[in-house]
Amino acid sequence: MGANSSVDRWVNEMIQLCQPDKVVWCDGSVEERDRLTTEALSTGEITELNQELLPGCYLHRTAKNDVARTENLTFICTTKQEDAGPTNNWMSPEEAYAKLGAIFEGSMRGRTMYVVPFLMGIPGSPFNKIGIELTDSIYVVLNMRIMTRMGKVALDELGESDDFTKCLHAKHELDIEKRFICHFPEDNAIWSVGSGYGGNVLLGKKCLALRLASHMGRNEGWMAEHMLILGVQRPDGKTFYIAGAFPSACGKTNLAMLVPPASMPGWKVWTVGDDIAWMRMGPDGRLWAINPEAGFFGVVPGTNYKTNPNAMRSIAKNTIYTNVVHGPHNTVWWEGHDNPPPDQGTDWMGQPWTPTCGEKGAHANARFTAPASQCPSISPEWTNPQGVPISAIIFGARRARVAPLVYQSHNWQHGTYIAATMASETTAAALGAQGVVRRDPMAMLPFCGYNMADYFGHWLEMGKKLTNAPLIFRVNWFRQDENGKFLWPGFGDNLRVLKWIIDRCNGEGEAEETPIGSVPSIGAIDLEGTNVSPETMAQLLHVNKDEWYDELQSQTDWFQQFGYQLPLGIWQEHEALKDRLTR
Ligand code: GTP
Ligand code: SPV
Ligand code: MN
């Protein structure tokens, strides 16, 4: 067969289990991509779009009940339940292997099993991890080819080693009753069955690069985070790198590809990554980060040449569109597109659709899959195996009230506490109610592969080791006025906030002390060229002590679930905030 003996042995076992008619080893070549594309076209798994207007682009529709990550069907399978912690669904490995094993058994009869070796990381990087995904879906293979460094490059990097993540996926019947996404950190394995949606099935992404990698990072002394990475270049030519954690559908891709407003000439933003950061301490005591992915799996609705021109250019070719409107001239459309809606089209469910039918044409969590190399703002450093040095970490979430536009933590421990108590309104990226405020520490609630209390502890430990740690900030682009209107213009204008953050990293930028942290002085954020009034700015930066006191109470409830495992440093910060608020 195709690889070293440990890979061959495991693949053989899985062939025995799933009983595919045929096995295809993927090498990642262009010839292979074209062959698989032709095959997927012939079965209707994908549809070819207008190759003149959208070269290399295809459309795919998922099943109606399979449009987002299913957090309630996602499990961490550890021997001891407390290793998964109170915020994860848990199943014992025995139960999970038995339950899923029964579903996988014979599941690929009449189908082909694709063997997909993939590299998370950059060839030659000390950060790298290898996975092998077995799947019955060509859509998954074509996506993995964009999202990871797939095929020969991964097997070459693996060599004779048996250190790889064993990833098994079958769409099977797409039955939600038989859908499970199970992680086995003790075995370095992932089993996913019954889904064909992105985060559930592109196993290198959330499953490996966050859930398993967070667990590895804790054991090996590094961090796997749900963060974008960008470089901000000042007019003087100096570039500062920032990592930012925002919950799903809260603005990572948009921020990573920011285009400076016309009123900030000479500024430039470079994209390193839009979703995942792996970070470790460098010899200089700073935190260095890489983007382990090779593509973007981004939210489509709302993407246009005004909000995100770099994304629009990234998805103009070689892109897979999932769950958008199929329009006239064999092109695609979605809510928030630059073009007006087509008179008629086919919606994400494959039904005839008109703009007046009362339903959205694209699913709110419709996605594009595009190579990162196509992004006009891609950083020349994005393939640097050593990564980029991080000056600041920002945590952002959707809060209509309470959280100011930006504030700075006092130090790493305080920043960790702010991140650990971050709350956000839920979005369409996961199945379930939307707009409900929930705690989403470090934007990792659905992605932390072990006990979250230990994860907070790991953050505090990393802070102690870093002799030149990044500064930590909280941002909120989503504060609203009494009428539910966003107070802050957002998107390109977010650079104004990044500028203040960089100033602070350089010992500049004016700030006022408040009980929750340092907020910019009125006037410290450059508003030239916006129509944000100083009064609106004051509203954006306002810290309401009563609201924060209520916030503090609800944090206590949230922390209670971790019991004695919650690190002392987090409680200390909680108590210190109470002190400052009641002083
Ligand atoms: P995932 O891929 O799910 O992890 O999402 P993400 O964090 O990359 O979010 P993305 O950048 O795709 O943005 C999601 C939604 O937030 C889109 O509808 C954007 O239009 C909206 N959004 C992004 N940035 C801003 C902003 O600065 N202000 C406002 N008001 N909305 C924003
Ligand atoms: C997210 O939900 O955070 C995503 C999309 O980035 S998915 O890959 O489906 O998880
Ligand atoms: Mn994401």
Side-chain angles (χ1 to χ4, degrees):
M1 271 215 221
N4 74 37
S5 54
S6 3
V7 175
D8 281 351
R9 200 175 320 122
W10 172 71
V11 172
N12 271 322
E13 272 172 40
M14 296 303 108
I15 292 173
Q16 297 305 317
L17 176 66
C18 302
Q19 304 274 316
D21 280 15
K22 204 172 128 191
V23 178
V24 172
W25 285 73
C26 297
D27 60 13
S29 66
V30 171
E31 177 277 325
E32 172 184 272
R33 180 197 66 188
D34 295 346
R35 181 166 46 79
L36 293 178
T37 300
T38 307
E39 199 173 327
L41 288 171
S42 73
T43 60
E45 192 173 349
I46 57 173
T47 303
E48 186 172 76
L49 293 167
N50 185 322
Q51 294 298 298
E52 261 161 54
L53 298 173
L54 294 165
C57 293
Y58 299 89
L59 169 69
H60 173 77
R61 294 191 194 98
T62 62
K64 264 187 235 178
N65 69 0
D66 194 25
V67 292
R69 283 179 294 100
T70 38
E71 295 179 3
N72 57 322
L73 304 175
T74 300
F75 294 83
I76 302 298
C77 307
T78 45
T79 311
K80 287 191 273 172
Q81 181 164 7
E82 70 172 63
D83 290 345
T87 61
N88 279 313
N89 300 312
W90 174 81
M91 227 192 275
S92 75
E94 291 82 9
E95 186 189 349
Y97 283 128
K99 198 177 215 163
L100 277 71
I103 304 173
F104 275 115
E105 202 178 326
S107 63
M108 297 191 191
R109 268 186 214 125
R111 301 188 187 196
T112 301
M113 174 191 275
Y114 298 92
V115 183
V116 184
F118 63 94
L119 165 65
M120 301 310 293
I122 297 156
S125 171
F127 290 84
N128 290 352
K129 299 287 173 194
I130 311 284
I132 314 270
E133 179 162 352
L134 310 180
T135 178
D136 60 356
S137 159
I138 296 184
Y139 171 74
V140 168
V141 180
L142 294 175
N143 272 273
M144 287 295 284
R145 191 178 184 281
I146 299 173
M147 293 305 297
T148 71
R149 291 161 172 97
M150 186 268 254
K152 184 174 179 308
V153 57
L155 287 183
D156 287 350
E157 189 89 9
L158 183 64
E160 291 307 308
S161 168
D162 62 359
D163 187 9
F164 64 94
T165 304
K166 303 182 270 296
C167 307
L168 178 63
H169 166 251
K171 278 190 304 187
H172 191 237
E173 295 161 352
L174 295 175
D175 178 355
I176 200 161
E177 299 298 325
K178 291 187 204 154
R179 180 175 303 160
F180 298 97
I181 297 94
C182 288
H183 303 73
F184 304 90
E186 293 158 9
D187 300 339
N188 197 7
I190 304 159
W191 281 18
S192 162
V193 69
S195 173
Y197 168 75
N200 288 341
V201 302
L202 309 179
L203 300 184
K205 194 174 177 60
K206 296 315 204 303
C207 301
L208 194 167
L210 288 179
R211 296 196 190 94
L212 288 192
S214 62
H215 175 266
M216 296 172 190
R218 182 193 174 212
N219 292 338
E220 297 165 10
W222 55 282
M223 310 167 90
E225 300 295 336
H226 192 199
M227 290 182 182
L228 69 100
I229 310 166
L230 58 76
V232 182
Q233 187 179 326
R234 292 192 307 207
D236 68 4
K238 197 158 165 27
T239 300
F240 296 86
Y241 293 94
I242 296 177
F246 298 63
S248 301
C250 289
K252 286 181 300 300
T253 301
N254 276 275
L255 189 65
M257 298 181 189
L258 185 152
V259 176
S263 49
M264 293 180 76
W267 289 79
K268 164 96 189 122
V269 169
W270 297 101
T271 310
V272 179
D274 83 323
D275 199 48
I276 297 177
W278 285 356
M279 307 194 285
R280 45 180 81 208
M281 190 173 81
D284 55 0
R286 289 198 289 180
L287 199 55
W288 290 71
I290 65 154
N291 166 15
E293 301 190 281
F296 306 127
F297 187 65
V299 176
V300 175
T303 304
N304 59 55
Y305 276 98
K306 282 178 284 317
T307 56
N308 195 344
N310 284 322
M312 289 303 281
R313 290 188 186 102
S314 306
I315 64 179
K317 58 181 182 187
N318 306 321
T319 294
I320 301 172
Y321 289 93
T322 301
N323 293 339
V324 296
V325 175
H326 193 195
H329 312 296
N330 196 17
T331 62
V332 285
W333 187 86
W334 51 83
E335 281 71 20
H337 196 285
D338 298 278
N339 297 344
D343 294 340
Q344 54 184 32
T346 307
D347 73 6
W348 67 272
M349 291 178 283
Q351 300 299 316
W353 176 87
T354 63
T356 52
C357 74
E359 301 287 338
K360 286 194 168 157
H363 188 272
N365 192 42
R367 295 269 167 175
F368 56 74
T369 320
S373 58
Q374 291 184 179
C375 182
S377 58
I378 198 75
S379 166
E381 293 297 309
W382 91 284
T383 50
N384 185 334
Q386 300 308 319
V388 294
I390 301 297
S391 299
I393 295 178
I394 63 180
F395 289 96
R398 281 179 193 265
R399 286 306 293 273
R401 271 163 283 282
V402 189
L405 176 64
V406 57
Y407 61 102
Q408 182 185 348
S409 65
H410 301 130
N411 52 45
W412 183 276
Q413 175 171 297
H414 181 227
T416 301
Y417 161 76
I418 289 173
T421 53
M422 185 160 77
S424 191
E425 291 143 20
T426 52
T427 67
L431 286 192
Q434 290 174 39
V436 180
V437 176
R438 73 166 184 185
R439 298 274 157 208
D440 190 350
M442 287 82 171
M444 281 289 277
L445 182 70
F447 308 119
C448 181
Y450 61 104
N451 192 314
M452 198 121 215
D454 296 336
Y455 171 75
F456 299 153
H458 181 48
W459 263 81
L460 295 176
E461 286 308 309
M462 286 298 298
K464 283 180 201 144
K465 281 199 293 189
L466 293 164
T467 49
N468 200 347
L471 301 185
I472 299 180
F473 299 79
R474 168 78 164 89
V475 301
N476 179 23
W477 315 142
F478 299 95
R479 199 159 175 166
Q480 297 175 6
D481 66 12
E482 315 72 50
N483 304 317
K485 199 173 156 284
F486 290 124
L487 286 163
W488 179 246
F491 301 100
D493 287 310
N494 292 334
L495 180 58
R496 301 169 191 282
V497 174
L498 300 186
K499 175 176 184 286
W500 180 76
I501 287 171
I502 288 170
D503 287 347
R504 297 296 289 171
C505 293
N506 290 301
E508 297 159 7
E510 274 184 78
E512 310 292 331
E513 278 311 307
T514 79
I516 63 167
S518 314
V519 166
S521 311
I522 298 287
I525 290 193
D526 180 1
L527 295 177
E528 205 192 306
T530 71
N531 47 24
V532 178
S533 66
E535 293 74 39
T536 303
M537 201 59 196
Q539 232 178 317
L540 277 161
L541 297 175
H542 183 60
V543 177
N544 180 317
K545 275 195 173 193
D546 292 338
E547 281 178 349
W548 275 95
Y549 201 79
D550 292 345
E551 177 72 18
L552 206 65
Q553 299 300 106
S554 97
Q555 287 178 8
T556 313
D557 300 341
W558 157 254
F559 282 148
Q560 226 79 57
Q561 65 181 316
F562 299 109
Y564 68 90
Q565 276 161 313
L566 192 74
L568 188 62
I570 300 289
W571 273 123
Q572 283 171 345
E573 293 298 334
H574 181 78
E575 289 303 312
L577 175 58
K578 189 187 285 173
D579 229 49
R580 293 194 298 269
L581 280 168
T582 48
R583 202 179 288 155

